[in-house]
Amino acid sequence: MAYHIPDDLLAALRAANHILCVSHVNADGDAYGSVLGMTHLLHRLGKRAVAAMPDPVIPDFTFLPGADAIIAPDAVADDYDLIVCLDMSSPDRMGAVFDPLRHAAIPLVVIDHHITNTHFGAANWVAASCAATSQMLVYLADALDTPPDPTIAACLLTGIVTDTLCFRTSNTTPEVLEAAMHLQRAGANLAAIVQRTLNRLPFSTLALWSQVLAGARLEEGVVWVTVSQTQLRAAGHADDDSRLNSILASVNEADMSAVFTEKVNSQGAPAVECSFRAKPGFAVGDLAFQLGGGGHAPASGCTLDGTLDAVVARVIPMMIAARRAQATTEPRA
Ligand code: 5GP
Ligand code: MN
């Protein structure tokens, strides 16, 4: 498993003893998998390590070993000697876990696979060719001479399975399959992970999707839906499910897709969370980055101030223009 891990990052991890591991707001399986996998790995190395997440752990991931020990922002101390930032391209993604004033003296190390990463750490390992941050931790465990035990393996395989939609995304290279195989051999239960993460859906989500999909729009190879707070509340949901965008992205007539979810920003003003997907041969990473967000070429996102109508009216013409520009240089796959 040859992979170049920056020496300064390895040295920082080896030297630290009291470490905070953190991942991003609106967390997905790779966020939970990498933050918990890293925490268990550091425990194996005999270190004091704590996992923190900006939002409460969502029920889908409470099955992960260590999920019950994840601390909330108000329990985060200020005396760590290192903060490990996992699966995030910019520090704002840590939400209230990281306070730039209170934590100013603590070095950050960044382990991430987003191409839009801003290298905001004192040491940065950004591997955009990896399909998941959890995949990177397979190589890190190897470099630290700590072969994954079944606990670490379960966390990391969850990250790989969820970020690749079970090995279906275009970045599922032989290396991804090798890393997954390594974790399965180390004791992770692939079938159980797939069942817990991808093959299940509350009935209320079907009800929400049926409402939302009834309003789907398709224009010039771009398909999108909006999800209002009223629709979310009627379904009893706090948030939507990223799998909704996977359905949109599978539409034959579309090269790009978007889900716009109505939110309220920290000042109480209307905001919209935008989630983007692109088919192979098309890219939405730059679009999200230009809008202050980030992600990968095939999957990205951002949050914009404004009402649903205003944000859709601003973003859809940008997507149509981007798709047009990309279609002329790269024919549809
Ligand atoms: P999703 O659409 O599944 O929420 O996110 C797709 C990808 O874009 C993920 O890798 C996620 O981390 C990234 N992403 C989504 N929203 C944002 C955002 O507001 N800022 C940044 N930097 N990345 C985002
Ligand atoms: Mn990820």
Side-chain angles (χ1 to χ4, degrees), residues 1 26 31 56 72 94 107 131 135 188 192 216 227 247 295:
M1 282 185 289
N26 197 14
M94 287 183 272
Q135 181 193 346
V227 184
I247 298 176

Side-chain angles (χ1 to χ4, degrees), residues 24 28 30-31 87 112-114 131-134 159 163 296:
H24 60 80
D28 54 18
D30 192 29
D87 197 43
D112 183 37
H113 69 129
H114 293 92
T133 301
S134 296
D163 257 22
H296 317 273

Side-chain angles (χ1 to χ4, degrees), residues 24 26 28 87 89-90 93 114 242 274-277 293-296 299-303:
H24 60 80
N26 197 14
D28 54 18
D87 197 43
S89 55
S90 50
R93 302 278 285 159
H114 293 92
S242 66
C274 312
S275 162
F276 305 121
R277 297 288 183 270
H296 317 273
S300 66
C302 62
T303 300

Side-chain angles (χ1 to χ4, degrees), residues 3-46:
Y3 221 94
H4 183 70
I5 304 175
D7 290 336
D8 55 351
L9 188 129
L10 287 172
L13 289 174
R14 286 195 181 107
N17 277 309
H18 188 203
I19 303 170
L20 182 72
C21 300
V22 53
S23 194
H24 60 80
V25 290
N26 197 14
D28 54 18
D30 192 29
Y32 288 112
S34 61
V35 88
L36 289 173
M38 186 75 207
T39 306
H40 293 303
L41 183 62
L42 292 168
H43 289 162
R44 284 273 303 283
L45 292 165

